[in-house]
Amino acid sequence: MGPADSWGHHWAGILFSASLFTVWSLPTAAHLIPDAYLLNTIQKALAKPTISVSQGTATEHREKVTFYCDTKDVDITIHWVSNNCPLVFHERLQLSPDGKTLTILTVHREDAGNYQCEAAWGARQIQSSDPTFLMVNYGPDPIEIKLESGVLSGDVVGVMEGSNVTFSCFSWFFHNDSLLSLTTRTFSIYAMSREHKGLYRCLVSNSATHLSLLAALKVRVLERLAKPCIVSPSRNLQENANSVALTCQTTHEGVRVQWFLKDQLLLPSKHLVLSADNKTLVIHCLGRNDTGPYECEVWKWGSWARSEPLWLTISYGPDQMDITMGPGSGVVSDVTVELNSSLTLQCQAESQPGAEYCWTFEHSTTVYMGVTLTIAALSWGHQGIYNCTALNPLTRLTHSTLVLVRVVGSQLSWSAGAIASITIGILTVIVLSTGLGCFLYIINVGWPSKQTAEDPIHETTPTSEKEHAGELSSGT
């Protein structure tokens, strides 16, 4: 190894040692610098800022207010808080470049409240000032006069005669020295009369804003209306009559009239026609469903009264006439029944008032009165057509309907007529037997004398065979 190699190894060792020193020395220096910075931060504590305001009380829409945040610290950030919430900026708020001066250019009522400023250095330290309160005077706002009871019609309030009324004057404003007490907000009148009608005014003033507003309300005392009544020419009417007129009678003048049918507002039609003043209602082509009830109501400036309901009695019928065989039976027009059995027929019709009924039989002139016709024991003579006629006692209208009754049964049945025929036959046999005995006696004994003339021949007219009908009965 030559001299050059020896020097090369020597410099290599020196460079290696220097590298080691550099590697181990840089971290130590790096740690010393942050520790000193942290120590300086801990030692610098923020002072509590103070807040001042140009005026603690301002008038709405008239004045501006300026807040100033004073702090001894530098290189800090200022934040503003209103009513414990971060302040939301808008066109009426102005902030200086350093953030220490806040100006409300035009004060509104919603600007009232507590204000604070916060001094912040980084994110680790924040100091808040004590709150400062801003009071804003405003109003009075537009006034409204109200009544606890009354009917508003435009700019006039109607109050019922004899009622108790309390006026209330409402307006929003704020100032401790000019708040109205409850006794001055309300005004009462007991038992309103016509002398109380007129114009009522309410004056509201604010001594701080030097503003006043006057409101007025016109009051009309309403006449208490008496119940009207409905007059009808007759309550006993007949269906399909030409027309009937109902009149709403009232003692009051200048009232409006409206009609109600079945508790619903009546709507005019060709069937229901109202007069020009609504006081007369004409019902054309009166029907059975036009019974009502009818009511008329009078109205004047919020005061109203309604009549008692009126019901019309409308006579109609008889119609829809049917014959049945009793309750639960269907309508019949042809009935087949057993010989010697019983039969009940019932007649019914729609009629107002209830109809009167009568029955007739085609083979008899007897008239049976009542709704029900009963035959206790049917015979052959009961076959035929039965007619039921219904009569309305008021309209004097009638309606009839028919039913055919057929009787069925054995031809060998022993009726009263058959028994009578047999009896007559037996008597005939007895008479003939007696005559034959007399004839034989004369032959054997002989005629006592010669007849100069022949005896007359008496012809016996045979008795006709009759069937006797069973009894008929009717009932209501």
Side-chain angles (χ1 to χ4, degrees):
M1 178 181 300
D5 294 333
S6 299
W7 281 105
H9 286 289
H10 176 74
W11 284 107
I14 293 172
L15 292 174
F16 178 75
S17 300
S19 299
L20 289 176
F21 179 79
T22 302
V23 170
W24 291 105
S25 297
L26 285 175
T28 304
H31 280 293
L32 288 175
I33 293 173
D35 288 344
Y37 177 81
L38 179 61
L39 180 61
N40 186 33
T41 302
I42 295 173
Q43 291 176 351
K44 185 177 181 180
L46 292 178
K48 184 176 182 178
T50 59
I51 189 171
S52 59
V53 60
S54 60
Q55 53 187 25
T57 302
T59 301
E60 186 180 34
H61 303 308
R62 292 185 185 178
E63 298 173 313
K64 73 175 182 178
V65 175
T66 301
F67 297 92
Y68 179 74
C69 184
D70 186 19
T71 177
K72 298 177 181 179
D73 296 300
V74 295
D75 298 329
I76 57 173
T77 302
I78 301 297
H79 301 288
W80 289 91
V81 177
S82 175
N83 296 321
N84 299 319
C85 295
L87 184 64
V88 178
F89 282 85
H90 48 75
E91 65 276 5
R92 292 187 296 103
L93 294 181
Q94 189 177 75
L95 192 64
S96 63
D98 59 1
K100 293 183 178 181
T101 303
L102 172 67
T103 303
I104 305 176
L105 299 177
T106 304
V107 176
H108 287 187
R109 66 188 68 182
E110 56 267 23
D111 296 328
N114 287 313
Y115 286 81
Q116 293 173 277
C117 68
E118 294 179 344
W121 192 57
R124 299 187 180 184
Q125 289 198 64
I126 297 176
Q127 283 286 353
S128 298
S129 68
D130 292 330
T132 296
F133 185 78
L134 174 63
M135 184 172 67
V136 179
N137 294 327
Y138 58 86
D141 286 344
I143 307 171
E144 182 180 7
I145 302 177
K146 289 186 177 181
L147 296 183
E148 293 183 358
S149 61
V151 179
L152 180 63
S153 178
D155 58 350
V156 179
V157 175
V159 178
M160 186 65 63
E161 184 179 14
S163 63
N164 299 330
V165 176
T166 298
F167 296 82
S168 300
C169 189
F170 291 92
S171 179
W172 292 103
F173 59 93
F174 182 81
H175 188 282
N176 288 337
D177 296 334
S178 47
L179 284 174
L180 295 178
S181 64
L182 291 178
T183 56
T184 57
R185 279 185 178 269
T186 60
F187 171 67
S188 298
I189 299 177
Y190 299 97
M192 290 285 289
S193 63
R194 298 185 183 182
E195 290 74 19
H196 291 124
K197 69 178 181 179
L199 193 65
Y200 290 78
R201 296 179 178 87
C202 176
L203 177 64
V204 179
S205 301
N206 188 327
S207 60
T209 63
H210 304 291
L211 295 176
S212 298
L213 285 178
L214 180 66
L217 181 67
K218 188 175 182 180
V219 176
R220 182 189 299 271
V221 179
L222 305 177
E223 181 183 5
R224 190 175 293 275
L225 300 179
K227 276 188 176 183
C229 64
I230 300 177
V231 178
S232 171
S234 174
R235 295 192 182 184
N236 295 318
L237 305 167
Q238 185 173 338
E239 187 178 35
N240 298 323
N242 291 333
S243 63
V244 60
L246 307 180
T247 303
C248 184
Q249 287 190 346
T250 176
T251 57
H252 303 283
E253 297 181 357
V255 295
R256 298 180 183 179
V257 179
Q258 56 186 5
W259 289 81
F260 292 85
L261 173 58
K262 297 178 181 178
D263 207 30
Q264 300 292 324
L265 185 64
L266 186 143
L267 300 177
S269 63
K270 292 182 179 180
H271 179 58
L272 302 171
V273 179
L274 291 173
S275 61
D277 59 0
N278 279 9
K279 289 186 177 181
T280 302
L281 170 65
V282 179
I283 307 173
H284 293 286
C285 299
L286 197 66
R288 64 187 64 182
N289 295 324
D290 292 323
T291 54
Y294 296 89
E295 296 169 282
C296 73
E297 185 178 87
V298 292
W299 180 86
K300 184 178 181 180
W301 283 101
S303 176
W304 62 86
R306 186 179 293 192
S307 68
E308 295 294 333
L310 172 71
W311 293 85
L312 298 179
T313 301
I314 302 174
S315 301
Y316 59 85
D319 52 22
Q320 299 294 325
M321 197 165 177
D322 296 312
I323 295 178
T324 65
M325 297 179 67
S329 168
V331 178
V332 295
S333 59
D334 192 329
V335 178
T336 301
V337 289
E338 292 287 337
L339 185 69
N340 292 325
S341 63
S342 64
L343 174 65
T344 298
L345 299 175
Q346 193 171 69
C347 196
Q348 57 187 17
E350 289 189 13
S351 178
Q352 172 60 39
E356 299 173 354
Y357 299 91
C358 66
W359 294 83
T360 58
F361 180 44
E362 64 174 336
H363 302 307
S364 173
T365 59
T366 306
V367 177
Y368 302 92
M369 303 301 296
V371 176
T372 304
L373 177 68
T374 301
I375 305 175
L378 286 161
S379 67
W380 301 111
H382 290 122
Q383 288 192 117
I385 297 175
Y386 291 81
N387 178 81
C388 178
T389 300
L391 167 68
N392 187 312
L394 286 182
T395 65
R396 308 309 297 174
L397 297 176
T398 61
H399 197 92
S400 298
T401 188
L402 304 173
V403 62
L404 174 62
V405 176
R406 306 174 190 270
V407 179
V408 297
S410 173
Q411 295 292 338
L412 298 178
S413 299
W414 292 90
S415 64
I419 294 174
S421 299
I422 294 174
T423 303
I424 293 173
I426 292 174
L427 292 175
T428 303
V429 171
I430 293 174
V431 170
L432 291 175
S433 299
T434 303
L436 180 60
C438 291
F439 176 74
L440 294 176
Y441 175 78
I442 292 172
I443 291 176
N444 293 328
V445 176
W447 294 97
S449 61
K450 187 176 179 181
Q451 299 289 333
T452 58
E454 296 183 353
D455 293 329
I457 299 175
H458 299 279
E459 295 183 356
T460 305
T461 304
T463 304
S464 62
E465 187 173 332
K466 296 182 180 180
E467 279 191 6
H468 298 283
E471 292 186 356
L472 289 172
S473 64
S474 63
T476 56

